[in-house]
Amino acid sequence: QVQVVESGGGLVPAGGSLRLSCSASGRASSMYNMAWYRQAPGKQREFVATITWNKRQTLYADSVKGRFTISRDNATDTVYLQMNSLKPEDTAVYYCNAHSRNWIRYYWGQGTQVTVSS
């Protein structure tokens, strides 16, 4: 019912920056909270950042706080993840998520690879 598509991944040197984009479309997509998760090889998927549908609240994982910024353009139903001061440990597949309250409904994108070289 809701389609989620990420883009913007790539290879970047340590200390560099990258901006990921996530577009959501479908019925009531503008009313969904959105989030970024990531999964590194051999590790579980972990929370990165989230933003509510009305942009009133944002939350970040401690590992990215101060370096990453999540934002949302409701006019285009697009959420962004600005990643600065990237570290090799940030290397992972980054997944965009759209979810309703209490995760009654949730949708995942295909993921976009972010690789940070040493």
Side-chain angles (χ1 to χ4, degrees), residues 7-94:
S7 63
L11 176 65
V12 63
S17 298
L18 205 61
R19 189 181 76 159
L20 306 183
S21 299
C22 174
S23 297
S25 61
R27 189 172 66 88
S29 60
S30 63
M31 300 297 291
Y32 281 68
N33 300 320
M34 299 189 74
W36 288 96
Y37 285 73
R38 67 186 183 186
Q39 187 167 23
K43 296 186 177 181
Q44 297 183 24
R45 187 172 299 186
E46 65 175 352
F47 168 79
V48 176
T50 190
I51 186 168
T52 54
W53 70 272
N54 57 11
K55 301 189 290 186
R56 290 182 182 178
Q57 186 178 38
T58 58
L59 292 171
Y60 298 90
D62 288 341
S63 59
V64 306
K65 206 166 190 176
R67 299 188 297 120
F68 291 10
T69 302
I70 189 170
S71 61
R72 185 170 188 163
D73 183 350
N74 287 36
T76 59
D77 282 342
T78 302
V79 66
Y80 303 95
L81 185 68
Q82 178 66 47
M83 306 184 294
N84 298 325
S85 302
L86 283 163
K87 306 173 181 179
E89 48 263 47
D90 293 319
T91 296
V93 177
Y94 284 70

